[in-house]
Amino acid sequence: MEHLNKLLACVEKESLIFKNPDLNFIVGLTNTQVKDLKKIAVEEGFIKNDKQEFFLTEKGKIYLKENPIKSWCSDKFPKRPEINLEYLKLEKMPPTLTKAIRCLARHLLEGEELKENSIESYLMRELLSKNSTCKDIKKEIKKDILKGKKIKLTDLFEKFSSYGLTKSIISILLLDVLAENKDILAIYEKLQFQLKLNQLMFDRMIFCPQNFEIQKTIMDDLPILESISKVLSKNSTKNILDITKSLIYFIRALEKYTLNTERLSKKTIRFRNVIMNAKDPISLFYRDIPKVLCGKLLPECGDEFLNEYENSINEMKNATRDMIFEINRFFLDNFNSKSRTELAKRFEAVEEYIGEKELRVLFNNVTEKDADDILWINRIATFINKSRVPKDWSDEDVADFKVRVKELALKFYTIEAVVGTSYIGITKSFDRIIDQLLKLSKPEQSVILRKFVTI
């Protein structure tokens, strides 16, 4: 008849206790336990019913006197707080408590509403309220986690278990600390950084604490972090987690070309690859990025690192734009034109002589007047490579584009030479060479064309 004395004590204090909606919280027992103990108390004559009110009988008073409620705190565990909810004192979590902790985790980590008079709502009132007997224990857990050094979860459980606390109590207090500080904590599972803390991860933390480590991500002793954060954000911060998120979002927003090209400086390529392969935000900024850019650890870095960091960011920001400007210049140069307007006039001058399908499509794109300069070269480049738009290109696509441009330019020059249109850049000697080229056999022309393409 465990906890019968507790039920009798509650009846002695409040005759209408069984009508109280907070019955289970006040008694600290589950609904099933209360029903079973109530039945025993009536059958044994410890309580009597009078118009739905219950009173302690003399027999009940004697039983209560002979079986007083014992304090959970003891000489063996002086730091152990008084706990009312009896299921929190059990060494092995019952299934109902496990389920309630999961609901509480969804509430604190994901914003799910708590059901009124549910076990999870009782857990909040018992352990996480301002007047909780566990508030000092929670402060100590928070202090340990926010020290700045990586802490093993098993060490935390072992320390507070030595206070006489059960795993369920430690878990709930830990959950609240994590929820309050999730934006400044890095959580590692099997040494791998986990980006999002949710109920499922917390569930794993409870049942496999040996797999988890926690570290504060705000480095108060590294003011350089604020300067780093300003490169990609208007707001300065010392929180490595926030800085890492900004950097990851920046990388994810880059074009495919920038993410894959090797046509960047060696430092920027290493910088980009370190970020894309990062598994730990603290190691990324404390060791990996500084080593790539300056060959030092972050505490040893100064203005040189900041300059290199900003230069690499800017190089990646502009990589695709610079490539598009490059292919635009290459295209115009190989057609020996200073502008798209000049080139369009030359195409229009020989329009009636353009019969080849590929040159006809190129004609339509070159003479397009409504598109701005960027859209103009993008359309031409996409057509010439017969695949993706330039921002999705690889370095191989850039090379293929240049080869195809040379081929098309030679075909266009041939038409101009045959038609006899005049334009800047074509000399009489060039005309003579074209004439000689046209007199050659097809195989000979192909060999010469291939040689010109490789120039």
Side-chain angles (χ1 to χ4, degrees):
M1 292 193 293
E2 188 181 13
H3 306 311
L4 178 59
N5 56 352
K6 194 172 184 182
L7 180 68
L8 296 179
C10 291
V11 172
E12 186 177 36
K13 290 179 183 177
E14 185 181 346
S15 60
L16 290 171
I17 184 66
F18 295 112
K19 292 291 184 180
N20 193 320
D22 272 348
L23 169 64
N24 294 341
F25 180 74
I26 295 168
V27 181
L29 302 171
T30 64
N31 197 44
T32 301
Q33 287 176 309
V34 170
K35 286 181 179 179
D36 292 343
L37 290 174
K38 179 183 177 183
K39 182 180 179 182
I40 292 172
V42 171
E43 290 175 351
E44 294 292 332
F46 295 146
I47 59 174
K48 61 180 180 180
N49 185 1
D50 183 9
K51 296 179 181 179
Q52 295 190 338
E53 289 188 75
F54 285 84
F55 300 93
L56 210 59
T57 63
E58 286 301 319
K59 187 178 180 181
K61 291 177 182 178
I62 294 171
Y63 179 87
L64 191 56
K65 187 175 181 181
E66 291 176 350
N67 298 277
I69 299 172
K70 295 179 181 179
S71 171
W72 199 47
C73 184
S74 64
D75 293 337
K76 184 180 179 181
F77 299 115
K79 291 188 177 182
R80 185 192 255 175
E82 290 295 347
I83 296 293
N84 181 52
L85 299 177
E86 297 297 332
Y87 37 81
L88 286 174
K89 301 175 186 178
L90 300 173
E91 287 302 319
K92 186 176 181 181
M93 275 190 257
T96 52
L97 181 55
T98 300
K99 182 181 177 182
I101 292 176
R102 286 172 179 159
C103 290
L104 184 58
R106 286 196 292 273
H107 169 67
L108 293 175
L109 299 174
E110 301 168 27
E112 184 178 287
E113 290 188 14
L114 287 182
K115 293 180 181 178
E116 191 176 358
N117 295 322
S118 60
I119 293 180
E120 49 269 26
S121 69
Y122 295 157
L123 299 179
M124 283 278 291
R125 291 169 63 181
E126 176 81 58
L127 301 179
L128 307 180
S129 66
K130 291 181 180 179
N131 299 321
S132 171
T133 57
C134 293
K135 60 183 179 182
D136 290 337
I137 299 290
K138 180 188 161 185
K139 285 180 182 178
E140 193 172 346
I141 291 175
K142 181 177 179 179
K143 184 179 177 182
D144 286 353
I145 288 177
L146 299 183
K147 278 181 179 178
K149 294 182 178 180
K150 191 177 286 187
I151 180 172
K152 293 181 179 179
L153 204 53
T154 48
D155 292 343
L156 191 98
F157 274 102
E158 286 174 8
K159 174 182 176 178
F160 291 98
S161 293
S162 70
Y163 291 6
L165 300 178
T166 59
K167 190 174 183 179
S168 58
I169 294 174
I170 300 170
S171 298
I172 294 166
L173 297 176
L174 170 65
L175 169 62
D176 200 40
V177 172
L178 293 178
E180 289 176 354
N181 299 279
K182 61 183 178 181
D183 292 332
I184 60 169
L185 293 175
I187 298 175
Y188 303 87
E189 184 176 11
K190 294 182 179 179
L191 305 180
Q192 300 296 312
F193 170 67
Q194 303 299 313
L195 191 59
K196 187 175 182 181
L197 172 61
N198 56 20
Q199 177 264 312
L200 292 174
M201 186 193 298
F202 183 72
D203 207 37
R204 298 197 301 274
M205 293 174 78
I206 292 177
F207 292 101
C208 297
Q210 68 274 13
N211 293 338
F212 286 87
E213 295 175 296
I214 304 170
Q215 185 171 7
K216 178 184 174 185
T217 59
I218 291 181
M219 303 294 182
D220 294 317
D221 57 341
L222 289 174
I224 193 173
L225 287 172
E226 291 187 275
S227 299
I228 294 171
S229 68
K230 291 179 182 177
V231 175
L232 288 173
S233 175
K234 294 180 180 178
N235 302 317
S236 64
T237 178
K238 292 180 182 178
N239 187 347
I240 285 182
L241 198 56
D242 287 341
I243 299 172
T244 303
K245 286 179 180 177
S246 296
L247 191 55
I248 289 173
Y249 294 148
F250 166 73
I251 290 292
R252 286 178 178 174
L254 292 174
E255 297 86 356
K256 288 183 181 179
Y257 170 79
T258 305
L259 294 176
N260 294 293
T261 184
E262 297 296 311
R263 302 169 79 232
L264 300 168
S265 67
K266 290 182 179 179
K267 278 189 178 181
T268 298
I269 290 172
R270 291 197 295 267
F271 175 67
R272 177 196 65 190
N273 294 344
V274 159
I275 298 167
M276 292 175 69
N277 295 316
K279 296 179 180 178
D280 177 0
I282 295 177
S283 295
L284 178 65
F285 273 98
Y286 191 88
R287 181 193 65 206
D288 299 339
I289 292 178
K291 281 285 186 182
V292 161
L293 297 180
C294 291
K296 303 174 183 177
L297 295 177
L298 190 59
E300 303 165 350
C301 293
D303 290 342
E304 178 191 359
F305 169 77
L306 288 172
N307 290 335
E308 294 288 354
Y309 181 82
E310 191 164 3
N311 288 341
S312 288
I313 291 290
N314 288 334
E315 190 176 357
M316 286 191 288
K317 274 183 181 178
N318 299 324
T320 299
R321 183 204 66 181
D322 291 346
M323 181 270 288
I324 291 174
F325 286 165
E326 177 192 342
I327 63 173
N328 184 62
R329 287 194 304 271
F330 185 87
F331 180 76
L332 290 174
D333 288 347
N334 275 270
F335 278 86
N336 205 22
S337 289
K338 294 180 180 179
S339 69
R340 58 181 278 196
T341 302
E342 177 190 311
L343 183 59
K345 288 179 179 179
R346 286 170 55 197
F347 265 85
E348 288 168 349
V350 297
E351 178 183 1
E352 62 180 301
Y353 302 99
I354 299 176
E356 186 178 331
K357 183 179 179 181
E358 195 170 31
L359 281 177
R360 173 58 62 178
V361 176
L362 182 60
F363 167 84
N364 292 333
N365 282 297
V366 168
T367 57
E368 167 64 50
K369 292 181 173 59
D370 294 331
D372 60 37
D373 289 346
I374 298 297
L375 180 58
W376 182 78
I377 189 60
N378 268 279
R379 285 177 175 173
I380 290 173
T382 303
F383 154 68
I384 289 176
N385 265 24
K386 294 181 172 59
S387 60
R388 301 172 299 279
V389 292
K391 69 183 180 68
D392 292 337
W393 279 6
S394 64
D395 291 343
E396 289 75 12
D397 290 320
V398 175
D400 289 344
F401 169 81
K402 290 182 176 180
V403 171
R404 294 290 299 123
V405 166
K406 283 182 174 291
E407 291 175 348
L408 290 168
L410 285 172
K411 290 180 179 179
F412 182 69
Y413 288 153
T414 301
I415 292 174
E416 284 190 313
V418 170
V419 172
T421 57
S422 61
Y423 58 91
I424 297 172
I426 298 298
T427 63
K428 291 182 178 180
S429 60
F430 182 85
D431 287 335
R432 287 196 298 271
I433 292 171
I434 291 297
D435 287 338
Q436 292 175 3
L437 178 63
L438 292 173
K439 293 176 182 179
L440 297 174
S441 65
K442 290 292 182 181
E444 288 173 329
Q445 289 177 359
S446 297
V447 171
I448 292 174
L449 185 61
R450 282 197 295 273
K451 286 186 177 293
F452 271 107
V453 167
T454 59
I455 292 175

